[in-house]
Amino acid sequence: MAAVHWDVAASLDKLLEQINTIAPHRSKASDGSIGDANHANRSSDHNPWYPPPAGGLVTARDFTHDPAGGLDCDRLANELVASRDPRIKYVIWEGQIADHRRITRTIAGKTATHPAFTWLPYTGPNPHRHHLHLSVIDSPLCTDDSPWPLPMFAPAIPPPEDSVTYRLDATATPDGARWDAQPTAEWLATEDTIATPGPTGGWRGGHEPRAD
């Protein structure tokens, strides 16, 4: 039998690229795209079934949980679900599944319809505790390779170069207080900031009030 040509949906390749950029040394022990023989014998997005009837695209990918290496799948799972990205079909992680559709399920004898992207118990044979599973939608959206807009991929924003932060040091002077230039979030002054009076008189951490 001739080998079946397959590719991974471009949206999943883009997510893989973004993850590897922020965590280049992470473990990939449980990463995966196309399924093994076990997957081939059942319905699975790890099989290259899209688009029908000929197929050729795998619409699922697994990502290894490796917080020490830079990829925390708890965070990845929550940010994917919070994003409600239209490319997402469902996410499986830590014995739970979140689907892009409204789902009617019977849990503990009670039947209810749950909103889209609600975490519900996952009843499949693999609870997915070592890797996160992401399936993308079976439509042309799966080939959208736009960057995934997750906070974990946002670049860190450095503080302005001319910023100085101050803290109140209660033991620095005999009268009990002074402004000390050490990093904290309590007070921020820049060249264009007019400082407030210091606790012991005078102006601290900036300029005296200007008439202009």
Side-chain angles (χ1 to χ4, degrees), residues 12-206:
L12 293 170
D13 280 346
K14 172 54 72 172
L15 181 59
L16 178 66
E17 174 191 321
Q18 291 177 266
I19 287 173
N20 288 341
T21 296
I22 65 168
H25 306 298
R26 70 182 183 88
S27 170
K28 299 178 178 67
S30 296
D31 278 25
S33 55
I34 194 165
D36 56 16
N38 181 51
H39 287 86
N41 292 326
R42 57 187 170 87
S43 176
S44 170
D45 289 337
H46 283 296
N47 297 324
W49 67 273
Y50 180 82
L57 276 184
V58 173
T59 56
R61 190 179 274 283
D62 297 331
F63 302 94
T64 304
H65 180 51
D66 181 21
L71 180 60
D72 185 341
C73 284
D74 276 325
R75 180 177 182 182
L76 178 60
N78 288 326
E79 290 190 5
L80 283 169
V81 169
S83 76
R84 293 178 170 257
D85 193 292
R87 294 170 289 188
I88 296 174
K89 183 178 181 181
Y90 57 81
V91 180
I92 305 174
W93 169 242
E94 279 281 8
Q96 298 186 90
I97 183 170
D99 198 289
H100 79 290
R101 299 161 294 189
R102 289 162 52 92
I103 298 293
T104 299
R105 291 274 298 273
T106 300
I107 302 174
K110 296 182 178 180
T111 301
T113 298
H114 304 273
F117 292 104
T118 297
W119 286 110
L120 297 171
Y122 176 65
T123 57
N126 185 335
H128 293 76
R129 302 194 189 282
H130 302 292
H131 66 267
L132 176 146
H133 172 103
L134 172 63
S135 281
V136 289
I137 202 80
D138 48 326
S139 82
L141 275 174
C142 75
T143 63
D144 179 354
D145 62 355
S146 302
W148 291 76
L150 307 184
M152 66 193 305
F153 301 137
I157 301 176
E161 291 184 2
D162 60 350
S163 296
V164 180
T165 54
Y166 294 83
R167 70 177 175 83
L168 184 64
D169 186 340
T171 61
T173 61
D175 59 356
R178 72 178 175 85
W179 288 104
D180 189 22
Q182 296 188 29
T184 69
E186 292 180 89
W187 204 83
L188 180 67
T190 67
E191 285 300 314
D192 293 324
T193 300
I194 298 176
T196 56
T200 59
W203 296 90
R204 298 292 184 266

